[in-house]
Amino acid sequence: MTGAKGGFRATVLTLYPEMFPGPLGVSLAGKALQDGAWSLEPVQIRDFTADKHRMVDDTPAGGGAGMVMKADVLARAVDHVTGGGRAADGRPKLFMSPRGKALTQARVRELASGPGAIILCGRFEGVDERLIEARDFEEISIGDYILSGGETAAIVVLDAVVRLLPGVMGNALSGETESFETGLLEHPHYTKPQEWEGRRIPDVLLSGNHGAIDKWRRAEAERLTRERRPDLWQDHRASSKK
Ligand code: SAH
């Protein structure tokens, strides 16, 4: 286990614990882990097998390609982590799955304000459906494409959550105008030099007129959202009419 007790507690059930903390060990997330703002416990699912071949998967009922992760092995791993039986320890249990509900910034925010998460990473064709039902897993997808395993998806979820934990982002304000937080995509950014390859920073940003700058940023955010994400734009329009 890395990180001190007290902060957000992440437990990751995986066949590849060596993938953690991985990218979560560097930069803001890595520093927060060292500082104890969150903790990370990768758990090797294979340690919960009961047979001498240490089998974690088996052939799919009904036939077909691939292998399915076994409910009994997974349940032992989950119960070990939650302290036995079905009683959770207050942390939501998430199964990374392309069939899940798409992860949103709103869900990320909820997770970040809670005690932590127990995250199950699938491999092969996925896991026995009965495990998801019996241990009450919430299925979360990170997008409409298929990964080879849930580990990289778990890293995405934790990355998004950890940066919201208190004290993790140096400049707390930068979180609030960010894409999705306002229901809009964020406005474009520029930094020095004023002219680069013949392209100038928009004059308004150099004007020092903060009212005009806010107005420009707002207009750009609306334009980008309208052009790139009609779905978000529609939701935004609907909610600002209320
Ligand atoms: N047969 C499954 C895909 C299995 S991919 C199907 O068609 O739905 C193997 C594992 O990778 C999954 O069990 C899941 O844990 C993970 N995974 C793959 N794509 C993902 C996605 N878009 N979001 C979250 N997890 C995903």
Side-chain angles (χ1 to χ4, degrees):
M1 172 133 114
T2 338
K5 289 212 167 86
F8 183 93
R9 281 177 62 216
T11 300
V12 181
L13 303 167
T14 170
L15 289 172
Y16 300 98
E18 65 273 24
M19 285 177 76
F20 296 87
L24 299 172
V26 304
S27 191
L28 287 181
K31 177 149 191 311
L33 189 57
Q34 265 178 6
D35 295 349
W38 69 295
S39 66
L40 176 61
E41 181 191 20
V43 171
Q44 171 57 272
I45 293 167
R46 203 174 294 279
D47 291 345
F48 296 87
T49 51
D51 64 311
K52 73 169 195 268
H53 299 293
R54 305 186 78 207
M55 261 182 44
V56 293
D57 57 339
D58 212 330
T59 53
M67 298 294 271
V68 177
M69 293 174 80
K70 289 162 63 61
D72 55 340
V73 175
L74 291 172
R76 276 195 295 274
V78 175
D79 294 347
H80 170 79
V81 163
T82 58
R86 284 163 205 205
D89 57 4
R91 291 182 291 165
K93 292 190 282 296
L94 315 177
F95 172 49
M96 304 318 305
S97 160
R99 296 184 327 193
K101 205 166 159 191
L103 185 67
T104 61
Q105 188 64 17
R107 186 69 186 109
V108 167
R109 221 167 242 296
E110 267 170 26
L111 289 170
S113 67
I118 297 166
I119 306 183
L120 172 60
C121 304
R123 281 274 159 177
F124 322 115
E125 290 309 315
V127 310
D128 189 312
E129 189 72 18
R130 294 169 296 179
L131 183 275
I132 302 174
E133 293 165 8
R135 291 299 180 274
D136 207 21
F137 273 90
E138 169 187 348
E139 294 185 64
I140 292 190
S141 166
I142 65 158
D144 291 344
Y145 38 78
I146 304 294
L147 304 167
S148 53
E151 288 78 8
T152 44
I155 288 169
V156 166
V157 172
L158 291 174
D159 182 314
V161 166
V162 167
R163 60 189 288 286
L164 296 182
L165 298 175
V168 172
M169 281 216 310
N171 180 358
L173 250 187
S174 85
E176 286 163 20
T177 65
E178 226 134 32
S179 299
F180 311 118
E181 292 290 0
T182 55
L184 295 171
L185 301 180
E186 202 184 38
H187 57 76
H189 298 282
Y190 300 89
T191 187
K192 292 174 270 298
Q194 272 191 35
E195 187 173 326
W196 173 76
E197 292 195 350
R199 295 163 189 270
R200 287 180 50 77
I201 294 176
D203 286 337
V204 58
L205 296 180
L206 306 171
S207 68
N209 179 342
H210 291 289
I213 293 171
D214 284 350
K215 215 174 134 197
W216 179 86
R217 286 183 169 161
R218 174 80 190 185
E220 282 294 287
E222 292 183 355
R223 177 183 65 79
L224 288 168
T225 309
R226 208 167 49 234
E227 287 174 8
R228 297 183 183 180
R229 292 292 302 272
D231 56 326
L232 284 184
W233 180 241
Q234 223 171 22
D235 291 350
H236 175 73
R237 291 275 300 249
S239 70
S240 51
K241 267 185 209 138
K242 270 181 212 151

